[in-house]
């Protein structure tokens, strides 16, 4: 029922020329991906170049963030309307680096989720706990609070259009990875919350990704878990062959699950 999804988050890396070359390499390596959907999220400055390089291919384009207004006096921001014009179909929202480095609040993230949906973008809401929160046994409390706040006010239909990513903050860019069992436990909890916030019919259709030091050699261990529907890839997405390998290892047997 849920086609695995692999999303590459390039973060603040790559000039237009570098981004175009990397996108072309991924495109050529995944000409006809089977059993997996692939999306690349480059920096804003490289969106046009990457969209051009991927035009007509099976690899989609997404963005790393957006504002909640379509236009206005918001210096330095980019609107969902602008992203749609550039060919984006997905946008990352609530990434831990936005929450912790730039102090984005749950309320701001919620407004962004709503704006993305209004403009036809698929919001990929990221949730996850810090190392200290996990030590205190607050993992479920934290992710539940972030999910409820991020989806506040959404209709069941809107929830069905959303994506989720569980990215434990302590595993992002640290080289430390959650075990498949740890990730699967949180994914199962999140799916139960989706059932409550949306419906029992919607919950099995919403894709929930794992993010946090994902590499080609650990991808399969995560994606074989029933409630893990793909991966959100950071550093490993900046190397074409590594990202291609991750996409291939994420593909569902038989084309979907």
């Amino acid at each position: 029922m849920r086609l695995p999804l692999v999303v590459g988050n390039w973060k603040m890396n790559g000039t237009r020329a570098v981004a175009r070359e990397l996108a072309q390499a991924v495109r050529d390596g995944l000409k006809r991906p089977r059993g997996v959907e692939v999306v690349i999220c480059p920096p804003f400055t490289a969106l046009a170049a990457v969209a051009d390089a991927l035009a007509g291919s099976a690899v989609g384009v997404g963005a790393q963030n957006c504002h909640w207004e379509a236009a206005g006096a918001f210096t330095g921001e980019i609107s969902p309307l602008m992203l749609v014009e550039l060919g984006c179909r997905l946008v990352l929202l609530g990434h831990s680096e936005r929450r912790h480095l730039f102090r984005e609040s749950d309320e701001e993230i919620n407004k962004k989720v709503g704006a993305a949906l209004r403009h036809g973008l698929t919001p990929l809401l990221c949730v996850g706990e810090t190392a200290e929160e996990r030590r205190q046994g607050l993992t479920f409390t934290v992710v539940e609070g972030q999910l409820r706040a991020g989806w506040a006010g959404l209709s069941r239909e809107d929830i069905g259009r959303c994506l989720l990513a569980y990215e434990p903050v302590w595993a992002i860019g640290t080289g430390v990875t959650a075990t498949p069992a740890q990730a699967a436990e949180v994914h199962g909890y999140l799916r139960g919350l989706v059932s409550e916030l949306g419906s029992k019919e919607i919950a099995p259709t919403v894709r929930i990704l794992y993010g946090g030091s994902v590499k080609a050699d650990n991808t399969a261990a995560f994606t074989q878990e029933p409630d893990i529907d793909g991966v959100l890839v950071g550093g490993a997405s900046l190397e074409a062959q590594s990202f291609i390998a991750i996409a291939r290892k994420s593909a569902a047997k038989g084309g979907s699950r």
Side-chain angles (χ1 to χ4, degrees):
M1 294 176 63
R2 302 188 302 271
L3 183 68
L5 171 64
V6 174
V7 178
N9 176 15
W10 291 359
K11 306 190 181 184
M12 196 178 72
N13 293 290
T15 61
R16 285 188 300 168
V18 169
R20 181 185 294 275
E21 182 178 356
L22 179 53
Q24 289 171 338
V26 172
R27 176 200 66 194
D28 293 344
L30 294 170
K31 288 183 178 179
R32 288 180 293 276
R34 294 182 179 180
V36 66
E37 181 182 359
V38 180
V39 176
I40 291 172
C41 298
F44 293 139
T45 54
L47 275 171
V50 169
D52 181 63
L54 297 178
S57 77
V59 181
V61 182
Q64 298 175 20
N65 191 26
C66 73
H67 196 266
W68 55 83
E69 294 290 349
F74 303 103
T75 300
E77 292 291 332
I78 189 166
S79 81
L81 182 63
M82 295 170 181
L83 298 179
V84 170
E85 183 182 45
L86 286 166
C88 293
R89 65 191 198 201
L90 174 153
V91 59
L92 303 179
L93 296 172
H95 189 281
S96 65
E97 290 159 4
R98 300 301 312 175
R99 293 179 186 270
H100 295 282
L101 296 179
F102 300 100
R103 300 293 187 264
E104 286 189 5
S105 68
D106 284 328
E107 292 73 21
E108 289 172 327
I109 293 164
N110 174 245
K111 290 193 289 186
K112 293 180 178 188
V113 169
L117 289 166
R118 286 195 300 274
H119 289 278
L121 289 167
T122 298
L124 173 48
L125 177 65
C126 303
V127 301
E129 81 284 10
T130 64
E132 182 58 30
E133 288 165 341
R134 174 165 278 272
R135 278 194 292 270
Q136 293 180 19
L138 297 174
T139 295
F140 292 157
T141 301
V142 171
V143 299
E144 178 172 351
Q146 291 171 343
L147 177 57
R148 288 185 181 278
W151 280 3
L154 297 190
S155 66
R156 290 182 177 180
E157 292 73 20
D158 281 342
I159 288 174
R161 295 168 55 198
C162 292
L163 300 166
L164 286 176
Y166 168 56
E167 43 157 27
V169 181
W170 47 272
I172 298 172
T174 63
V176 178
T177 311
T179 67
Q182 286 173 322
E185 183 181 33
V186 178
H187 278 241
Y189 186 76
L190 289 170
R191 198 168 303 282
L193 289 172
V194 177
S195 180
E196 177 187 338
L197 297 172
S199 70
K200 291 181 179 179
E201 293 71 32
I202 288 172
T205 70
V206 173
R207 289 180 288 182
I208 308 176
L209 313 185
Y210 170 75
S213 295
V214 174
K215 299 178 177 62
D217 60 4
N218 64 20
T219 295
F222 288 104
T223 55
Q224 69 183 2
E225 295 288 343
D227 278 316
I228 299 180
D229 306 313
V231 286
L232 175 57
V233 189
S237 68
L238 295 171
E239 202 283 312
Q241 293 309 310
S242 171
F243 187 63
I244 290 166
I246 289 170
R248 288 175 175 164
K249 291 183 178 183
S250 300
K253 301 297 185 292
S256 64
R257 53 167 144 186

